[in-house]
Amino acid sequence: MAASWCHMRFFYRRYGLKKYKGHRISASTCYAIQVYSTTAGTGHSEIASSRAAKKDVSGPLPSTYDPEYVESGWYEWWVQQEFFTPKAQGVVGGKQPPFVMVLPPPNVTGTLHLGHALTCSIQDAVIRWNRMQGRETLWVPGCDHAGIATQVVVERKLHQECHQSRHDLGRDRFVEEVWKWKNEKGEIIYDQMKRLGSSLDWSRASFTMANKLSDAVVEAFVRLHEEGLIYRRNRLVNWSCALRSAISDIEVDSIPVSGRTLLAVPGYDRKIPFGVLTSFAYPVSETDGEIVVSTTRLETMLGDVAVAVHPDDSRYHHLHGCHVRHPVTQQLLPIVLDDFVDMEFGTGAVKITPGHDHTDFLVGERHDLQKPNVISDDGHMVNVTPPFNGMRRFVARHHLTKFLKEKKLFRGEEEHSMTVPVCSRSKDIVEPRLKEQWYVDCQQMAKMAAEVVESGELKLIPRSHEKVWLDWLHGIRDWCVSRQLWWGHRIPAYQVTHQGETFWVSGRTDDEARRKAAVMLAVTEGEITLQQDEDVLDTWFSSAIFPFSLHGWPQQSADLSHFYPTSLLETGSDILFFWVARMVMMGLKLTNQLPFQEVLLHGILRDSHGRKMSKSLGNVIDPMDVIHGTSLQNLQEQLKKSNLDPSEVKRASEGQQKDYPQGIPQCGADALRFTLCSYDFTSGEINMDITHARNYRHFCNKVWQAFRFVQTNLGEGFHPDTSLEINRTYSATDLWILSRLSHMIKSCDENFATYDLHHVTRALHQFWLTEFSDVYLECVKPVFLSGTQPEQDNVRQVLYHCVETYLRAVSPFMPFLSEELFQRLPARGDNWPVSVCVAQYPQPKDYQWANADLDSTMATVKDIAYHSLSVRKELNLTKTRAANLLICTDATKREQLSDFRLSLQTLSRASDFSLVSGRQGVPDGCLQTQLSDTCCLAVVLKGVIDPQEHLPKLKNKQRKLESELERVTQGMSRTVDKQVAQKMVEKSEKLKAEIEKIKIYISAVENL
C-alpha cells in the first residue's frame, strides 16, 4: 500500500468522499484502491497483465458487504482468462450459431451517462446469459469519432489553452491535435465500461477512424457513388453558423417557445428574442395598395423573391399578375398563386425566401424562382444592399425593424408560439441554407428495409415500433452525408478540372480517381487536375456500416464470415432511424444480408420526476457517482465547471439540492445494473429513481448476509452432493423452497428468451428476499439448534443447492457479487467451473420440483403467521412469545399444515403451535381470528399480557380510529370530486375494518 497514497487521494477527490487525511480506511477499501491503482487508466491491450491474478478469497468472508471490495480485482482476472473472447463453452441442447452483438459506439468525447449504463447493463445481461447457455458469444466494443462533438471539444480546448482557432493551426495540425486528444482521453469511457463489468471482447475494440474501418468507409462511398446512389446537389440543409457546417436532423433540438423568449446565441453579447411575429407591408407596384406579410425571422426578408397568395382568396383577385416592390433592394417581386397558403392565417399572404426556408424552397421550385443565399457560413448577411451587408443576422433583424418603421411599412409585433431549431452541439440557432452537398439516394434501400420488417425477417422488439419504422421509410428523404468539418472521414470524391470543364469522380485513392477521370475524358492521366473535397462524411455514415466494417469488410476475413450477420442489436429507440434503419439499409445494399436478426429497443431514460435528463436541470447522473457515491458538494462543483449559463447553474444547483440533499449514496456496479434492468425498459420512457439503486444495494447486502449464514452452517468439511436427488426424508419446508427455486428458474429462462429482463430480476429478487431469506432461512434455524443429524444434513444440501443455483442465475446482472460468493463455495464434483462467468445457466429441465400443493400450503402458512404477528405487534409482545393454536375443521388441510408445524411456530414467533380439529381444545384467554370458513387462529393471551396495561391503550386507539372515521364520513358528504370521494370511501372501509379488529382485541383482553 505504500505506493498507493496518491491513488487514495485521487479516489477520494474523484468520488466526493470525506477528506482522506485524518480518516481511517478499512482494509476492504484499501484493497479496492490498490486494485484501482494498478488498473485505472489502462487500455484494453494492457489489462491482461501479470497483475491480473485470481483474487484471493481464502480468508474469511468480511462481516459487512462493501461494493468497493467485492467489485475489485475480478474484472482484470476475467479478461486475463479470456472469458469474453468467443469460444464455445459447452453447448446446451445441441450446436448453436454464435451469439453476436456490437455495442452502439459511444462518442469518444465524453464519459458514460446513465443512458450508456442502461445500454451496457441490458446488453451485458443478455450476452452473459447466452455465454452461460454454452453458446459461442462475441460482444464487440467500439467508440465513435463523433465528428462534430469532438471537433467542438478540441476547438474549445485550443481556445482556452492557446487562444487559437483551428484556422490558426491549419487542417493538418488541427487533425494532429484531435488525434493527440483522442489518444489521451479516448480510453476513459472504456475504463468506465469495465467498471460496470461489461463483458466485451477488448481485443476487437474498434474505433470508427481506425484504418480498417476507414478503408471500409471509403469502399462504401465509392461503390454507392459508382452505382449512382450517391450524388451531389444544391439543396437546403440544417446549417450551424457557429460550426460552419451542415448538421443532421438528430443534432437539431426543437425548443418550443410560447411567446417572446430571450435565448442565448453564441457570438452575441445579449440574448436574442424569439417567439415574436413581425408584420410589415410590401407596396404593390401596379396600384397604391399594399400586401402585409408576417415572419418570425425578419432578417430573411432580404432574401425574399416573391409574395404568395391562395388563388381562391378573393381579397387578392385584383392583384393576380401584379408585383410588390422590395423596400430595401427596390426590386420588383412577383405575386405568385399557390394553394399551399393558408387563407385563414394572418393576412393570407406569405413572403417567399427559397434560399432559407424548406417550404419556400418547394414554392420556388414550382414557380421557377431565384434562390439567393443572403446569410453566410458564419451567420453574416451577404449579397444584400448596404447597410445590411456584413451585419450579423440577428443584428440585421434589429436594424430592419427600425428601417421598416422609418419607411412607415412596419405593421406591428405580436407574441407567437413557435419551435426554435437549436444545434445540440454548439447551441447556435440552426439556419436553413442552400449548399451544394453529397446525398445518398435512399429510396430503393428504404424499400428493402421496409420489406424485411413486413415479412418478419427482421424483428423489432417491441413490435409497436413497426408502424413508425414503415411510416418513416415510406416517406424517407435522401440523406445529406457531407459535413464542413476537419475531423472525420474525408469524402473520397475529387473535383476534376480539364480545359475549363469541372465534374466529380470518386476513388479509393487519388490515382484511382485520376484514372477514372482520364477514361471519362479520353485523355492521359497527366492532363488531369484533381482536388479532393474538403468536407468529411456524416458520422452516421461510418456508424451505418459498423456491424461489418469492424470485421474487416470488404475483405472476406474469418471474423466476417463467422460473426456476421450479428444476432441482436440493442439500442435506444431515439436513434431507430438515424442509426438502426441506416444500418439495415447499408447492410442489405453492401453485403446482401441483414446486419442483425432482432432489434431490441429501450425507451428514453428520465429522472424520477419524468423530466428529460439535462445538464441545465442538474439531473444528469454520472453512473460512476452512483457506483462510488458522491457528495452534494461534489455534484455542485461539477456544475460550476460546466459551460452552463449562470442562470442555468443556479436552477440546476437548486434541483440537485432538492433531489440529492445528502448526495448520492455508494451503491456499487451490481446494484446499479440490477436497478436498470429491473425497469420495463421497452416502454417509451423510464423514470430513473436513485432510491431504487440504494434499495438494491441493500438487497446485495441481503444476499451477502444470507450467504454468510449458509456458509457458517455448512461448516468445515461439507461435501455437496453432485446432484440433488430427493432420495431421503426431506421436510415439507425443504421441498417447498426447492419448488420455489424451480419456479424461479422457469421464469428466468422464459423471460430471458424474450428479453423481458424486468421479469427476470423480479423473479430473482422475490425468491431470495421473500422466500429464501425471509421464510426458508428462518424456518431452518431451529433445525440447526435442535434437529437431528439427518435433518441438518438435508438442510445443508438444500441450502447449498439453492445458493449455488441462485448465484449462477443472478450472475448476468450481478457479476461481481456472484463471482465473489461463487468462489467461496465448496466445489461440487470434478467439473466445477473455474468462474461463474462460464458456468452453465440453470436449466428448467434440471429443476423439476415444482409442487403446486406445497406452494399453496406455504401461502396459507405465511398468511397464518402474518395474522399471528399482527397480534404480537398490536399488543407489543416484543419480549414475550405466546402459544398459538390453529382450529382447522378441514382434515385434509389440517394434515397438510401439520407438515409445516415447526415452520408455523417459527414464522409466528410462537412459544408453541398446535393444530386442533375443534374449539373444544382451545384454552380460555385466547384471542381468536377467523381466517377462513375452516380455519381460525387462537393466540393464547392469558398469563402473557396484563389486561390493565393494554385495555386503556386499545380503547384509546379505538377512539382515535372512530374520530378519524367521523372526519372522513363528513368529508364524503361535502366533496363533489368523484376521484376524491372514491379515495374517501376506500379509507372509510379500511378504518371500519381496523375498528372491528380493535373491538375483537378489546373483548378478548376484557375476558382475561
Side-chain angles (χ1 to χ4, degrees):
M1 287 300 295
S4 299
W5 181 245
C6 62
H7 296 100
M8 290 184 197
R9 295 178 63 185
F10 169 82
F11 185 85
Y12 273 81
R13 287 173 176 172
R14 168 62 182 85
Y15 300 112
L17 304 178
K18 296 178 180 178
K19 288 194 301 182
Y20 49 87
K21 290 185 178 180
H23 287 270
R24 295 178 63 85
I25 303 174
S26 68
S28 59
T29 303
C30 283
Y31 180 81
I33 296 172
Q34 188 174 34
V35 171
Y36 180 87
S37 71
T38 61
T39 60
T42 59
H44 56 266
S45 62
E46 300 173 80
I47 199 165
S49 67
S50 59
R51 299 181 213 174
K54 185 177 180 181
K55 185 175 177 180
D56 183 8
V57 293
S58 60
L61 188 70
S63 59
T64 57
Y65 169 70
D66 179 358
E68 290 292 348
Y69 166 72
V70 171
E71 295 170 9
S72 61
W74 290 118
Y75 194 90
E76 295 74 21
W77 178 67
W78 291 333
V79 174
Q80 192 270 337
Q81 292 293 308
E82 299 184 348
F83 292 145
F84 307 154
T85 58
K87 52 191 161 190
Q89 304 290 349
V91 178
V92 176
K95 179 65 178 174
Q96 300 179 71
F99 185 87
V100 184
M101 292 193 303
V102 297
L103 179 75
N107 292 350
V108 72
T109 51
T111 57
L112 289 180
H113 53 66
L114 274 184
H116 291 123
L118 173 66
T119 298
C120 287
S121 298
I122 295 169
Q123 293 186 22
D124 197 38
V126 171
I127 202 77
R128 284 178 180 272
W129 178 69
N130 276 277
R131 187 180 294 120
M132 295 176 73
Q133 292 284 354
R135 293 184 70 172
E136 183 181 12
T137 58
L138 174 61
W139 186 22
V140 185
C143 213
D144 194 283
H145 64 280
I148 292 177
T150 304
Q151 182 160 312
V152 168
V153 169
V154 177
E155 283 194 272
R156 186 182 300 131
K157 177 176 178 287
L158 281 172
H159 178 73
Q160 291 173 346
E161 295 179 358
C162 311
H163 301 289
Q164 289 182 314
S165 70
R166 60 183 166 114
H167 301 284
D168 294 328
L169 293 182
R171 182 167 189 148
D172 291 342
R173 282 189 59 200
F174 177 76
V175 171
E176 287 178 9
E177 285 295 317
V178 180
W179 274 109
K180 180 181 176 182
W181 182 91
K182 184 269 173 188
N183 292 331
E184 289 176 355
K185 307 294 184 181
E187 292 291 334
I188 293 175
I189 202 162
Y190 282 170
D191 290 335
Q192 291 181 307
M193 290 177 189
K194 295 166 188 174
R195 185 64 189 84
L196 269 170
S198 304
S199 57
L200 293 145
D201 180 5
W202 295 106
S203 68
R204 287 178 167 83
S206 301
F207 179 50
T208 52
M209 285 284 287
N211 290 338
K212 179 173 68 174
L213 280 76
S214 294
D215 290 344
V217 168
V218 171
E219 181 70 27
F221 185 95
V222 173
R223 287 193 187 187
L224 295 175
H225 183 250
E226 289 178 339
E227 198 172 330
L229 293 178
I230 287 184
Y231 61 92
R232 190 171 176 85
R233 195 80 81 245
N234 194 33
R235 289 182 180 169
L236 280 177
V237 296
N238 299 317
W239 187 265
S240 168
C241 296
L243 297 173
R244 301 187 193 183
S245 174
I247 59 175
S248 67
D249 291 342
I250 197 173
E251 288 154 339
V252 179
D253 294 333
S254 297
I255 309 298
V257 296
S258 57
R260 181 182 175 86
T261 305
L262 295 175
L263 297 178
V265 180
Y268 290 83
D269 296 332
R270 297 180 179 179
K271 291 187 176 182
I272 307 300
F274 292 88
V276 177
L277 190 67
T278 302
S279 299
F280 66 94
Y282 270 126
V284 179
S285 176
E286 288 81 358
T287 70
D288 293 333
E290 66 180 27
I291 292 183
V292 177
V293 295
S294 301
T295 180
T296 57
R297 301 163 63 217
L298 185 58
E299 65 279 5
T300 63
M301 67 91 69
L302 294 172
D304 284 358
V305 297
V307 172
V309 297
H310 197 285
D312 298 333
D313 195 332
S314 59
R315 292 172 293 180
Y316 300 111
H317 279 168
H318 66 292
L319 297 180
H320 289 189
C322 293
H323 298 75
V324 296
R325 187 171 296 278
H326 198 291
V328 178
T329 67
Q330 298 304 310
Q331 292 178 323
L332 291 178
L333 312 182
I335 298 173
V336 300
L337 310 179
D338 201 298
D339 58 11
F340 94 95
V341 178
D342 181 358
M343 292 187 289
E344 303 301 320
F345 182 76
T347 63
V350 180
K351 60 186 284 295
I352 303 301
T353 321
H356 294 280
D357 184 272
H358 292 283
T359 302
D360 293 2
F361 178 84
L362 297 176
V363 175
E365 291 281 284
R366 289 195 291 270
H367 297 278
D368 196 24
L369 300 173
Q370 291 184 340
K371 306 175 183 67
N373 195 339
V374 297
I375 300 177
S376 69
D377 287 359
D378 61 356
H380 287 73
M381 306 308 297
V382 292
N383 305 321
V384 299
T385 305
F388 303 105
N389 201 54
M391 282 187 183
R392 288 184 295 171
R393 52 185 168 151
F394 297 125
V395 172
R397 176 184 295 186
H398 171 72
H399 285 284
L400 277 167
T401 302
K402 293 171 62 176
F403 174 85
L404 291 169
K405 288 179 178 178
E406 291 170 359
K407 296 293 184 181
K408 301 189 184 305
L409 296 174
F410 183 77
R411 296 295 179 263
E413 291 180 344
E414 60 179 293
E415 296 198 7
H416 180 68
S417 296
M418 63 179 295
T419 299
V420 181
V422 175
C423 174
S424 63
R425 304 297 183 186
S426 65
K427 305 306 176 186
D428 190 20
I429 306 302
V430 173
E431 194 70 51
R433 294 185 69 231
L434 267 177
K435 296 287 288 186
E436 197 170 67
Q437 302 283 289
W438 292 99
Y439 290 88
V440 177
D441 182 346
C442 296
Q443 303 308 309
Q444 187 58 39
M445 289 189 287
K447 182 180 178 182
M448 292 190 295
E451 288 173 350
V452 292
V453 168
E454 290 174 322
S455 67
E457 188 179 353
L458 176 63
K459 184 179 179 182
L460 301 183
I461 306 169
R463 292 191 60 182
S464 57
H465 291 286
E466 290 181 5
K467 183 179 184 305
V468 291
W469 173 276
L470 297 174
D471 288 346
W472 187 79
L473 289 172
H474 290 153
I476 197 170
R477 294 185 298 178
D478 287 356
W479 173 18
C480 175
V481 292
S482 45
R483 298 289 180 267
Q484 289 63 51
L485 305 172
W486 289 355
W487 171 246
H489 296 104
R490 192 167 174 183
I491 294 176
Y494 302 79
Q495 190 175 48
V496 181
T497 303
H498 181 71
Q499 295 182 355
E501 182 182 358
T502 62
F503 60 93
W504 290 87
V505 296
S506 62
R508 296 164 183 83
T509 63
D510 292 14
D511 290 342
E512 182 182 1
R514 194 180 303 277
R515 286 194 297 272
K516 285 184 178 179
V519 171
M520 294 171 68
L521 294 171
V523 298
T524 64
E525 294 180 20
E527 298 177 68
I528 300 297
T529 300
L530 288 181
Q531 178 62 49
Q532 185 174 359
D533 196 329
E534 293 288 328
D535 292 350
V536 300
L537 285 165
D538 178 12
T539 300
W540 294 104
F541 189 90
S542 54
S543 298
I545 64 173
F546 189 69
F548 48 93
S549 67
L550 61 86
H551 291 309
W553 179 91
Q555 304 302 319
Q556 289 302 311
S557 66
D559 274 8
L560 184 63
S561 61
H562 190 59
F563 296 121
Y564 183 82
T566 63
S567 309
L568 172 73
L569 176 79
E570 194 284 328
T571 190
S573 58
D574 55 328
I575 55 173
L576 177 62
F577 308 122
F578 300 105
W579 189 43
V580 182
R582 287 169 178 167
M583 279 191 289
V584 171
M585 291 192 294
M586 297 287 265
L588 289 170
K589 181 62 186 175
L590 295 172
T591 71
N592 295 316
Q593 291 178 292
L594 273 171
F596 28 74
Q597 285 85 46
E598 295 181 313
V599 179
L600 177 61
L601 297 159
H602 64 251
I604 298 173
L605 198 66
R606 297 182 178 274
D607 69 9
S608 59
H609 307 291
R611 303 172 303 177
K612 184 177 180 180
M613 290 194 174
S614 163
K615 289 181 180 178
S616 62
L617 292 175
N619 61 352
V620 172
I621 304 171
D622 182 341
M624 297 301 111
D625 286 337
V626 181
I627 291 173
H628 300 287
T630 191
S631 65
L632 174 62
Q633 180 183 358
N634 192 50
L635 290 172
Q636 306 230 305
E637 285 296 324
Q638 293 175 29
L639 269 182
K640 293 176 183 177
K641 296 176 183 177
S642 68
N643 294 320
L644 295 178
D645 182 88
S647 62
E648 292 179 319
V649 171
K650 183 176 183 296
R651 179 175 62 165
S653 177
E654 292 170 351
Q656 288 182 342
Q657 291 175 39
K658 182 178 180 181
D659 290 342
Y660 316 116
Q662 305 301 319
I664 298 175
Q666 180 198 54
C667 298
D670 284 326
L672 176 59
R673 290 164 56 107
F674 201 86
T675 302
L676 292 168
C677 290
S678 71
Y679 292 104
D680 181 5
F681 52 78
T682 58
S683 61
E685 296 179 350
I686 308 154
N687 294 348
M688 171 68 183
D689 191 339
I690 289 298
T691 59
H692 291 168
R694 181 190 62 197
N695 292 339
Y696 282 121
R697 196 267 194 211
H698 295 326
F699 175 63
C700 290
N701 182 61
K702 191 76 171 180
V703 175
W704 185 268
Q705 297 304 334
F707 183 89
R708 287 186 70 227
F709 171 85
V710 172
Q711 188 183 51
T712 299
N713 285 285
L714 290 182
E716 295 291 334
F718 171 77
H719 296 289
D721 289 346
T722 304
S723 61
L724 192 63
E725 300 292 340
I726 308 301
N727 55 6
R728 38 176 117 180
T729 313
Y730 282 86
S731 72
T733 309
D734 294 337
L735 296 174
W736 167 78
I737 196 62
L738 292 174
S739 174
R740 299 315 303 160
L741 184 68
S742 297
H743 280 287
M744 183 198 79
I745 296 306
K746 181 181 179 183
S747 179
C748 290
D749 183 74
E750 291 175 349
N751 289 298
F752 249 127
T754 58
Y755 307 119
D756 291 312
L757 303 189
H758 60 297
H759 290 314
V760 182
T761 56
R762 186 179 305 163
L764 291 166
H765 184 262
Q766 177 180 323
F767 173 81
W768 192 271
L769 194 64
T770 66
E771 295 169 347
F772 184 70
S773 296
D774 290 353
V775 177
Y776 185 69
L777 293 190
E778 293 301 315
C779 290
V780 301
K781 287 177 181 177
V783 177
F784 286 119
L785 287 174
S786 57
T788 65
Q789 190 63 45
E791 288 174 337
Q792 292 182 5
D793 289 343
N794 284 349
V795 168
R796 289 189 178 98
Q797 293 296 337
V798 172
L799 284 173
Y800 177 90
H801 197 72
C802 286
V803 169
E804 188 272 337
T805 300
Y806 187 82
L807 292 177
R808 286 186 286 131
V810 81
S811 179
F813 304 101
M814 296 182 173
F816 297 106
L817 178 59
S818 59
E819 187 73 88
E820 180 78 27
L821 300 181
F822 187 82
Q823 295 292 342
R824 295 173 183 272
L825 282 175
R828 186 178 63 191
D830 296 333
N831 295 322
W832 184 249
V834 66
S835 166
V836 73
C837 290
V838 291
Q840 184 187 91
Y841 198 82
Q843 302 295 307
K845 64 181 179 61
D846 298 326
Y847 296 84
Q848 300 291 327
W849 301 317
N851 189 318
D853 291 338
L854 284 175
D855 292 344
S856 176
T857 304
M858 180 55 89
T860 303
V861 167
K862 290 193 286 185
D863 184 57
I864 295 168
Y866 167 77
H867 284 88
S868 179
L869 293 173
S870 295
V871 174
R872 285 180 57 83
K873 182 179 179 181
E874 192 66 55
L875 298 177
N876 196 28
L877 302 180
T878 56
K879 299 179 181 179
T880 308
R881 291 178 179 265
N884 283 209
L885 296 93
L886 184 71
I887 307 157
C888 186
T889 58
D890 185 325
T892 302
K893 179 171 287 189
R894 188 169 64 252
E895 183 178 354
Q896 292 171 339
L897 289 171
S898 66
D899 292 335
F900 289 89
R901 192 198 67 79
L902 184 58
S903 296
L904 280 166
Q905 180 178 338
T906 302
L907 296 176
S908 300
R909 298 182 187 175
S911 60
D912 186 37
F913 203 105
S914 304
L915 289 93
V916 296
S917 59
R919 296 183 186 273
Q920 64 275 11
V922 179
D924 294 335
C926 287
L927 171 64
Q928 298 188 27
T929 304
Q930 195 69 36
L931 304 179
S932 67
D933 293 340
T934 59
C935 289
C936 178
L937 176 66
V939 179
V940 179
L941 300 181
K942 192 171 185 179
V944 176
I945 67 169
D946 180 359
Q948 302 303 316
E949 177 186 348
H950 285 81
L951 270 177
K953 294 178 181 178
L954 291 170
K955 290 182 178 180
N956 184 49
K957 184 171 183 178
Q958 179 185 355
R959 286 192 295 271
K960 288 182 178 179
L961 290 170
E962 289 173 341
S963 177
E964 177 69 7
L965 177 61
E966 183 180 357
R967 189 185 65 79
V968 172
T969 303
Q970 291 174 352
M972 289 168 55
S973 64
R974 292 193 299 264
T975 186
V976 294
D977 188 308
K978 290 184 178 180
Q979 288 185 339
V980 173
Q982 179 59 36
K983 288 182 179 179
M984 286 184 168
V985 169
E986 293 171 0
K987 188 170 184 178
S988 171
E989 294 302 317
K990 186 177 179 180
L991 287 168
K992 289 177 182 177
E994 281 290 312
I995 291 169
E996 289 304 313
K997 185 177 76 171
I998 290 296
K999 287 180 177 179
I1000 294 173
Y1001 281 36
I1002 291 173
S1003 177
V1005 174
E1006 286 178 335
N1007 291 327
L1008 290 179

